[in-house]
Amino acid sequence: MPQPTVTVHDKTFELFIAEEEIQKKVEELGSSLSQNLKDTKPLFIGILNGAFMFASDLMKAVNIPAEITFMKVTSYQGMETTGQTKELIGLNDSVKGRDIVVVEDIVDTGITMESIVDQLKNLGAKSIEVASLLLKPDCLQRDVEVKYTGFEIPEKFVVGYGLDYDGLGRNLKDIYQLKHE
Ligand code: 5GP
């Protein structure tokens, strides 16, 4: 049984999405992806660090020939908050002519995902689809299509299952939401 609340650093979080529910959803997403992409030998690109756990479970739920690689995304130094220019780091695999599935933990404003998709397009990807475990629809500021969404969630900070609060909490099996006292 998951713990009803956890403390990460100085903050209390309450149980939001339990492991069992997450795993069920990941299985469903894996089945849809397998069905829709069965003729394409897709390249999955997991966005580090947050998506490492989701990407790992999702790949186990995909039952067609598929490759996976990982990359990081950062803002350029000196360009803060809105920083629309994100740098793709560590992408060693060629995306030219490939059918890409970007695997992300959460899409919030969509600024990060828009930047990723634009750059992969420029690198010559044949098609780009997005799979995000979580989506905050009320926060979206960009027109990004998240074709495969696990859960739509309200505008509240979450941790667990790969997502961190200041470096901690990624190892939680369940997803927790910030508790407002
Ligand atoms: P966006 O560019 O869509 O606003 O931001 C996406 C990134 O913000 C995510 O990859 C994640 O790193 C971070 N983020 C947004 N909302 C949350 C949240 O509720 N919890 C955590 N841990 N990170 C979040």
Side-chain angles (χ1 to χ4, degrees):
M1 277 294 282
Q3 284 175 268
T5 62
V6 292
T7 303
V8 182
H9 291 295
D10 55 335
K11 300 231 179 329
T12 306
F13 292 82
E14 47 195 4
L15 184 63
F16 182 44
I17 310 172
E19 180 185 11
E20 206 179 320
E21 214 182 324
I22 299 170
Q23 294 303 334
K24 197 169 148 243
K25 187 65 79 175
V26 172
E27 286 292 333
E28 286 170 20
L29 292 174
S31 301
S32 305
L33 283 157
S34 302
Q35 197 155 3
N36 296 345
L37 299 175
K38 59 179 181 299
D39 301 319
T40 68
K41 212 192 285 166
L43 173 64
F44 286 72
I45 303 179
I47 309 301
L48 296 173
N49 294 328
F52 78 98
M53 210 176 270
F54 174 45
S56 161
D57 285 343
L58 186 65
M59 280 309 272
K60 286 183 264 176
V62 165
N63 57 15
I64 54 167
E67 294 176 43
I68 184 159
T69 188
F70 291 88
M71 69 178 187
K72 272 200 174 201
V73 184
T74 57
S75 299
Y76 282 115
Q77 287 290 317
M79 296 185 78
E80 8 116 282
T81 58
T82 55
Q84 278 134 353
T85 317
K86 307 275 180 179
E87 196 182 353
L88 308 188
I89 298 172
L91 184 62
N92 298 319
D93 301 63
S94 173
V95 301
K96 201 171 166 54
R98 299 295 305 268
D99 293 288
I100 305 293
V101 180
V102 181
V103 181
E104 180 62 298
D105 51 355
I106 184 164
V107 172
D108 185 354
T109 62
I111 291 173
T112 306
M113 192 50 73
E114 182 185 56
S115 180
I116 292 170
V117 170
D118 283 352
Q119 292 188 63
L120 292 175
K121 259 185 216 159
N122 288 339
L123 289 171
K126 183 172 157 206
S127 70
I128 304 163
E129 292 182 336
V130 177
S132 182
L133 181 68
L134 305 172
L135 171 69
K136 292 180 179 169
D138 297 340
C139 301
L140 261 187
Q141 295 173 20
R142 292 292 190 279
D143 187 18
V144 288
E145 191 199 346
V146 184
K147 181 162 179 182
Y148 302 93
T149 304
F151 303 92
E152 293 196 352
I153 65 167
E155 187 178 353
K156 262 195 193 171
F157 191 79
V158 292
V159 293
Y161 195 68
L163 291 134
D164 74 312
Y165 166 45
D166 204 7
L168 295 182
R170 294 193 195 278
N171 50 325
L172 296 163
K173 295 186 181 74
D174 314 277
I175 294 174
Y176 288 81
Q177 194 176 50
L178 184 62
K179 185 175 177 185
H180 288 286
E181 277 111 27

